[in-house]
Amino acid sequence: MTVFFMMGRIVAEKSRFGNIRDIGEDSRVEKKRMEVHIYLTIVAFLAGFIQGLSGFGSVLLSLPLMVLFLDIREAIPLVNLMGVILSVLLIFQLRAHWEWGKIWPLLAGALPGIPVGVYLLKRMDPAHVQIVLGMVLLAYAIYGLLFRLPIGRVVGPWAYFFGFFAGGLGGAVSASGPPVIVYTSLQAWTKHQIKMTLQGFFIVSGLLVGVFHAANGLITDGVIGNFLVSIPTLLAGTWAGSLLYGKFKEEGYRRVMLLLLGALGVFTLARVL
């Protein structure tokens, strides 16, 4: 009887300490989740702010920050979902300026560019592509700030060329935005037309990428959960950026675009060098 009693106490003690360990592990997991959510809301606000202000930049800004606390396989589909909802919000704000004729040539050029980019991805170091991209963005921004850009002269079939380049970069390094941003900044359009054209391109390309992610099982419950957490500050950032956007006149808006392009060029180079 004594032996059985001692064995029972040992089992009870092991069970008690095991439960304590389980509680401690659960506490650490929950603390880690809360930290991720805090970082995520900060990044979401910044992404919404820069997109609301300029109409671009959320992906190039948020992805490098998110991979600091999320797995890259979770960060990429999450950033894409955030980009889609940002474009939806901005399209709703600027719906009166929607012009399909300005958007579809860019998309038509991007479609054949995507497989070319994927082909290059398999044969080139993505870091080399990003170095070239960063240098081009920085050089373009500096030139545009110091000299007069050929506004209104890059028209017609150039839209297909820039769209093709955008699709190629999207397939190679998931960064299709810069060529489209450069193209729209060279057009004799109002700031509303520029911003709306960017959103039209981004939402179609983002939805296509989202379908690809879902088909390959990348949009998990964790990604959806993080996306829902990010929505409140994403909306707040977009609202704040849009308020500031409304204060810029046409020339001021173009200068903001160039400054952000230069900053993104530096950011891209800093990531890979």
Side-chain angles (χ1 to χ4, degrees):
M1 290 291 292
T2 303
V3 173
F4 287 121
F5 177 74
M6 292 177 64
M7 290 178 63
R9 288 194 61 181
I10 292 171
V11 170
E13 289 295 314
K14 286 184 176 181
S15 176
R16 183 168 68 84
F17 285 117
N19 289 338
I20 291 174
R21 285 194 294 269
D22 290 343
I23 292 172
E25 184 65 28
D26 290 343
S27 177
R28 285 191 292 271
V29 170
E30 184 62 26
K31 184 179 179 181
K32 180 67 175 177
R33 185 182 296 112
M34 289 298 296
E35 289 178 354
V36 167
H37 287 173
I38 291 171
Y39 297 146
L40 182 59
T41 54
I42 294 172
V43 173
F45 180 86
L46 294 174
F49 180 81
I50 193 172
Q51 194 88 355
L53 172 63
S54 65
F56 65 90
S58 64
V59 172
L60 290 174
L61 170 73
S62 56
L63 184 57
L65 295 177
M66 282 193 184
V67 296
L68 297 176
F69 56 89
L70 287 177
D71 185 271
I72 186 68
R73 289 168 295 184
E74 294 183 9
I76 289 177
L78 175 58
V79 166
N80 184 67
L81 288 175
M82 290 170 59
V84 169
I85 195 171
L86 284 172
S87 293
V88 170
L89 291 171
L90 295 177
I91 285 174
F92 180 77
Q93 289 179 359
L94 299 169
R95 58 190 180 278
H97 302 278
W98 176 276
E99 295 183 55
W100 183 247
K102 289 180 169 56
I103 300 167
W104 77 261
L106 294 166
L107 292 170
L111 289 176
I114 292 173
V116 174
V118 174
Y119 175 85
L120 292 175
L121 176 61
K122 295 178 180 179
R123 289 159 177 80
M124 294 179 62
D125 186 347
H128 294 162
V129 179
Q130 293 183 73
I131 289 172
V132 173
L133 174 62
M135 292 176 65
V136 169
L137 289 178
L138 185 57
Y140 176 78
I142 292 173
Y143 180 87
L145 290 168
L146 297 179
F147 305 98
R148 188 174 181 84
L149 292 170
I151 304 297
R153 299 178 187 176
V154 182
V155 294
W158 282 103
Y160 299 97
F161 171 78
F162 279 91
F164 180 84
F165 191 22
L169 281 174
V173 292
S174 299
S176 60
V180 179
I181 298 164
V182 170
Y183 172 77
T184 55
S185 71
L186 291 171
Q187 304 309 303
W189 299 342
T190 67
K191 65 176 187 176
H192 298 317
Q193 290 174 319
I194 292 173
K195 196 174 182 181
M196 176 56 91
T197 301
L198 289 173
Q199 304 321 304
F201 179 84
F202 291 152
I203 194 170
V204 175
S205 60
L207 288 172
L208 290 174
V209 171
V211 169
F212 178 79
H213 287 164
N216 286 271
L218 293 174
I219 300 182
T220 62
D221 291 341
V223 171
I224 296 296
N226 285 333
F227 175 61
L228 294 176
V229 167
S230 73
I231 287 178
T233 51
L234 195 68
L235 296 176
T238 307
W239 175 77
S242 296
L243 283 181
L244 189 57
Y245 161 80
K247 298 181 182 301
F248 286 107
K249 296 183 179 180
E250 304 296 335
E251 187 60 32
Y253 176 69
R254 291 183 187 275
R255 291 188 67 83
V256 168
M257 290 185 72
L258 290 170
L259 288 170
L260 287 176
L261 280 174
L264 291 174
V266 172
F267 202 45
T268 302
L269 291 171
R271 270 195 310 172
V272 295
L273 292 179

